[in-house]
């Protein structure tokens, strides 16, 4: 399986390390041609405005949307923001998941936190969620499945068909279950 990690800004390296541990071939994506032949793409955390602007400058937005017609995409944290249809402000986004997102929903950098999460269909007990200036999902369309909510009801993981989005950073833990989940999503896609 060939997985790409969008490597414009943010913690793409940590995702690559997680994927390689699972025995996957990883390619850093910086140019449209780097998308050729990939089965899946991860959009990492970082600053969603910066990643969006760089993706626009590198002429990657349309090629990613083209890739999305058959490929699977997972956005984490800043990457979740890019997956949204609406973020309540003007910035380049992909609009792939029918959801509204509130950026920096839990406060500033100093308000970062970790929490044990129950994630739908993820066996083996709670998943340690690392939230760093994280977004939350405030609305989902009817085609979107909510996979995880915090105790206060904040939606922090969703899936719409081939698209996955999480508010937190699984690549910053040693737990590779969500990366494995994404690979399984790709294997079982229709
Ligand atoms: N606050 C960032 C944004 O909204 C996301 C932070 C992150 O990816 N850790 O773009």
């Amino acid at each position: 399986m060939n997985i790409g990690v969008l490597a414009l800004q943010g913690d793409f390296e940590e995702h690559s390390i997680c994927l390689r541990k699972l025995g996957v071939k990883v390619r850093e994506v910086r140019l449209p041609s780097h998308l050729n032949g990939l089965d899946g793409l991860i959009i990492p955390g970082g600053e969603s405005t910066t990643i969006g602007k760089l993706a626009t400058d590198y002429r990657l937005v349309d090629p990613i949307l083209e890739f999305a017609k058959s490929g699977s995409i997972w956005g984490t944290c800043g990457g979740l923001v890019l997956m949204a249809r609406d973020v309540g402000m003007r910035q380049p986004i992909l609009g792939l998941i029918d959801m509204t997102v509130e950026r920096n929903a839990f406060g500033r950098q100093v308000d970062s936190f970790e929490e044990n999460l129950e994630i739908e269909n993820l066996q083996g007990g709670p998943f340690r969620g690392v939230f760093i200036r994280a977004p939350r999902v405030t609305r989902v369309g009817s085609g979107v499945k909510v996979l995880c909510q915090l105790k206060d009801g904040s939606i922090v993981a969703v899936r719409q068909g081939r698209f996955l989005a999480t508010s937190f950073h699984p690549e910053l833990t040693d737990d590779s279950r969500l990366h494995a989940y994404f690979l399984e999503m790709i294997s079982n896609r229709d």
Side-chain angles (χ1 to χ4, degrees), residues 11 44-49 76-79 81 91 103-104 131-135 167 169:
D11 67 341
E47 201 54 46
S48 61
T49 43
T76 57
C77 200
V81 175
Q91 67 180 80
R103 291 181 59 196
N104 305 325
F131 294 81
I132 305 170
R133 283 209 309 132
S167 294
H169 288 270

Side-chain angles (χ1 to χ4, degrees), residues 61-124:
V61 175
D62 286 340
I64 291 174
L65 294 177
E66 192 57 38
F67 172 79
K69 289 180 183 165
S70 57
S72 302
I73 306 186
W74 174 20
T76 57
C77 200
L80 169 140
V81 175
L82 284 154
M83 295 296 278
R85 190 162 289 178
D86 180 12
V87 297
M89 56 182 84
R90 274 175 68 89
Q91 67 180 80
I93 48 175
L94 297 166
L96 290 169
I97 297 184
D98 182 12
M99 62 177 174
T100 303
V101 163
E102 179 189 358
R103 291 181 59 196
N104 305 325
F106 305 98
R108 302 166 48 194
Q109 196 84 10
V110 290
D111 302 310
S112 298
F113 62 99
E114 295 189 17
E115 192 164 319
N116 285 337
L117 306 172
E118 290 299 334
I119 300 177
E120 186 104 3
N121 295 332
L122 207 71
Q123 312 298 324

